[in-house]
Amino acid sequence: MMITRELADHLIHASRAKKRPFAGQALVAAGVLLLIATLFIKPQDDSDVMSMLWLLPHVALVGLLVWAMRFGQQQREQSQRMLSGFEAVQLREWDRAAQSLNDLLSRPIRHARARVAALLSLAVVAEADDGYDVSQHIYEAILSENTGDPLQQHTARVGLAAAMLRNGQITDGIRLIEKLERAELTGPLKAQIELLSLFREVTMGQAAGGIERADQRRDLFRAHLGTRAGYGYGLLAMAFDRAEQPDNARKEWYNATLLLGAKELIARFRELEPIARKYAAAENPV
């Protein structure tokens, strides 16, 4: 299943929950009033009106309980679709991920951060099929709506900058990367930016910039990116290769393929294909 621009736009709009301020409070208040009514209104045998008044709140309360149970079931089903989609993305089962996220985002998602997480995953699926124009559209929508948490918004900015570089919007992409670099970030957020900056340097032929901070970047990738540090090592191998330092390039490529297979590295960064042909990979990546 391919994520097209039209499909992404449909899912962005379809997944927006309608704003209903005080809806939850109103339902709680209605439930309390109905419960009070059932307790204090007593039926009288000689009065049809009182009998009806006694019956109506009971019927309404049962209806409210049925609705609450159905709503809870829908929320559980939505959570299951979300877990299935996220799992498929982690396992890189792109067809299953696309189908699960399509099912999930075709309906309104009440929790804003859950919706943003699903949209970020949708962008990753689009990029797996080289749909960087689609992922750029998704990232821009996330940033425009500004409903994610700070980490989600940061992730969208990083993804947008990378998509801009892929789509030939070099000036805008570099400007955004430089803005991110000026932010005082630490830990995983800093590691993401350094990976993006390294990608920019090696793709624009700035090999010297890629290797000047090689030790610092390697430590940062190792500490905060887990197996995804392999992408950073692979880009470092490319930087060393272009700087005509084959021994260092060979070492970085071997380290990269200890964490991720060569095919997976190339799938994420197709620029690494010449490096894969030139240097030996580790036999058993984790």
Side-chain angles (χ1 to χ4, degrees):
M1 180 180 182
M2 179 177 290
I3 307 298
T4 63
R5 171 71 178 263
E6 292 74 18
L7 177 58
D9 199 49
H10 165 71
L11 296 177
I12 290 169
H13 288 84
S15 60
R16 287 194 187 113
K18 294 180 180 179
K19 294 183 179 180
R20 295 175 178 174
F22 310 116
Q25 295 91 324
L27 286 173
V28 171
V32 171
L33 289 174
L34 288 171
L35 183 60
I36 292 172
T38 59
L39 293 174
F40 288 95
I41 297 178
K42 304 297 182 182
Q44 296 182 13
D45 295 338
D46 57 350
S47 173
D48 292 338
V49 174
M50 289 302 297
S51 296
M52 184 61 68
L53 289 175
W54 176 84
L55 181 62
L56 283 176
H58 285 78
V59 173
L61 186 59
V62 170
L64 186 61
L65 290 173
V66 171
W67 176 87
M69 292 174 63
R70 177 56 182 161
F71 178 76
Q73 178 64 27
Q74 290 175 344
Q75 291 298 105
R76 287 190 292 273
E77 291 173 355
Q78 187 176 82
S79 297
Q80 186 59 45
R81 287 192 293 269
M82 187 171 295
L83 289 173
S84 176
F86 293 167
E87 178 187 55
V89 170
Q90 291 294 320
L91 295 175
R92 295 173 178 82
E93 297 176 358
W94 303 120
D95 288 339
R96 182 164 74 91
Q99 187 60 60
S100 296
L101 292 170
N102 178 66
D103 293 343
L104 173 65
L105 291 163
S106 294
R107 304 171 179 84
I109 299 177
R110 289 171 55 85
H111 299 289
R113 293 179 180 180
R115 174 174 173 269
V116 172
L119 289 174
L120 288 171
S121 294
L122 187 70
V124 172
V125 174
E127 290 174 348
D129 199 33
D130 289 335
Y132 291 98
D133 57 329
V134 178
S135 68
Q136 178 173 341
H137 179 61
I138 296 171
Y139 293 133
E140 288 172 341
I142 292 171
L143 293 171
S144 175
E145 294 179 4
N146 195 29
T147 56
D149 63 31
L151 179 58
Q152 290 174 327
Q153 296 299 108
H154 171 80
T155 301
R157 291 187 188 95
V158 172
L160 176 59
M164 284 177 169
L165 294 180
R166 293 288 194 183
N167 292 330
Q169 300 173 26
I170 306 299
T171 301
D172 291 338
I174 291 176
R175 186 181 297 117
L176 181 53
I177 292 171
E178 291 175 344
K179 181 179 179 180
L180 291 168
E181 287 176 331
R182 289 193 296 270
E184 296 182 359
L185 302 173
T186 59
L189 303 183
K190 179 67 173 177
Q192 288 182 359
I193 298 303
E194 287 297 332
L195 182 63
L196 179 60
S197 297
L198 179 58
F199 172 66
R200 177 196 65 178
E201 291 162 4
V202 297
T203 54
M204 296 185 66
Q206 300 170 351
I211 63 177
E212 281 178 359
R213 292 181 290 161
D215 291 340
Q216 175 190 350
R217 283 171 163 170
R218 188 185 304 107
D219 292 342
L220 199 60
F221 297 156
R222 182 184 300 113
H224 300 292
L225 296 184
T227 57
R228 292 185 298 121
Y231 295 128
Y233 301 159
L235 292 174
L236 284 173
M238 186 175 177
F240 278 119
D241 181 72
R242 292 190 173 182
E244 298 182 353
Q245 298 184 30
D247 290 340
N248 286 327
R250 184 177 297 106
K251 178 181 178 181
E252 295 295 346
W253 184 248
Y254 182 83
N255 290 336
T257 54
L258 277 173
L259 297 176
L260 298 167
K263 289 183 179 179
E264 190 169 338
L265 291 165
I266 295 170
R268 181 69 179 87
F269 295 106
R270 57 181 177 268
E271 295 82 1
L272 293 175
E273 188 170 0
I275 304 300
R277 291 197 300 265
K278 191 171 184 179
Y279 300 106
E283 295 184 0
N284 298 304
V286 295

